[in-house]
Amino acid sequence: MATSDTAASTASVDSSSAQASSASTHDTQGGEQTYRDFAAWVAAFRQEAANAGIDEVTLAAAFDQVSFQPRIIELDRSQPEFSRPVWAYLDTAVSEQRVRQGRAKLDAHRDAAIRAENRYAVPAEILTAIWGVESNYGSYFGHFSTINALATLGFEGRRQDFARHELLAALKILQSGDIDRDHMRGSWAGAMGHTQFLPSSFLAYAVDADGDGRRDIWGSIDDVMASTAHYLEEAGWQAGQPWGTEVILPDDFDYSQTELAVRHSSAAWRAQGVTAREGTLPTFDAASVIAPAGARGPAFLVGPNFRAIMRYNASTSYALAVVTLAERIAGGDGIQGDWPREVEPLSRTQVKDMQGRLNALGFSTGGPPDGIVGPNTRKGLRAFQRSQGMTADGFPTPALLDSVREASAR
């Protein structure tokens, strides 16, 4: 999901938050009081949007038939107990069927993809891969009304200010005439079109590449390809550079360096014994080594273009899916190393238990337990592993949780 880093001021709209009650005070099934409160919130937001420059014709089109969507609140609140391991995500995102479809889609729309590549220097295969991962090449980019979704989330979602900001951006898109309300559809969270732009990203990066006077990421593949390429260019895409490469790490490698925040030149990584699985290391001034499944899984040297893709979606698994799918579409083999598929993922409850025990043992995970494995949790895990004479890769497993529990019981 593309997210904009250029956030316009939402002060005039945020004042409407006073009209919204917290999520805990509402009946998400859409009780009568909820609908009355929602109507009052819409009225307040409508006035604030008018003060921000949205004309009455657009406001009427957007809000005269707006409706509260209980299902969207359910989706917003749901947090899966188990997260998918990276290899399971890649199995779906880079399936053989998706590779075949990607090659066929690129063949069918090669002219549009090459025009975007020539203009923004982002390879056609990368653009096609983002299209594939975001919406399965347009076969499903969501059926929710963007206005209804963002109004619902602005009224009662977990990130109300964010949703109100995106709703104002959506109104600006309607006012510009790029799309009408009925056709402005996408995910429950407000992402739109073939490559899932949020409204603020649309305003910042969408391009009318086919010259019809509209930026149409729902119906024009020319516009889709150019808009996606423009986003990546602005995110720091460097022409002519690879995203990175799969690497082999030496047995004594310090896994505390496997964080995106740690950056060295390719020469410095080479001096530590990092080698390319195939060929030679690409030349980077500032590259990171990542090992998404710890010491037992594949490792990668990634450069600025990998980071640009993560500006589109801040997930290592997502960026790996995009670059791997792009390589497969281009005829490459994809990831060669083996994933530790026998390892069961920890649940959020298990991760919270592990974090609490690590904190109590003096191996800080950066704060109170939240069930999310991030850099601070990995740092605490590595410190614990070192204390136990283990390979300190920071990768949480059921066996490692058992070791933490045993240590905390002593």
Side-chain angles (χ1 to χ4, degrees), residues 245-290:
T245 192
E246 189 173 350
V247 295
I248 297 174
L249 304 179
D251 291 340
D252 61 350
F253 187 75
D254 176 8
Y255 280 87
S256 68
Q257 298 182 93
T258 56
E259 298 288 350
L260 287 166
V262 178
R263 299 176 187 176
H264 301 304
S265 68
S266 296
W269 288 118
R270 190 180 301 110
Q272 292 191 47
V274 177
T275 59
R277 180 172 284 274
E278 296 180 353
T280 59
L281 294 182
T283 301
F284 294 130
D285 293 330
S288 303
V289 167
I290 59 172

Side-chain angles (χ1 to χ4, degrees), residues 42 44-45 65 106 121 159 177 185 221 227 271 274 281 288-289 327-328 378 387 395:
V42 169
F45 185 93
Q65 302 299 321
L106 180 53
R159 297 190 297 165
R185 293 185 171 272
I221 301 303
S227 298
V274 177
L281 294 182
S288 303
V289 167
E327 287 189 349
R328 294 292 315 281
R378 290 192 293 270
S387 76
F395 182 62

Side-chain angles (χ1 to χ4, degrees), residues 8 19 26 29 90 151 192 223 252 270 277 290 319 346 354 368 379 381 388 398:
Q19 301 294 326
H26 286 303
Q29 298 305 310
L90 291 171
M192 312 178 301
D223 291 4
D252 61 350
R270 190 180 301 110
R277 180 172 284 274
I290 59 172
L346 297 184
M354 181 179 66
K379 182 178 180 181
L381 273 175
Q388 303 295 307

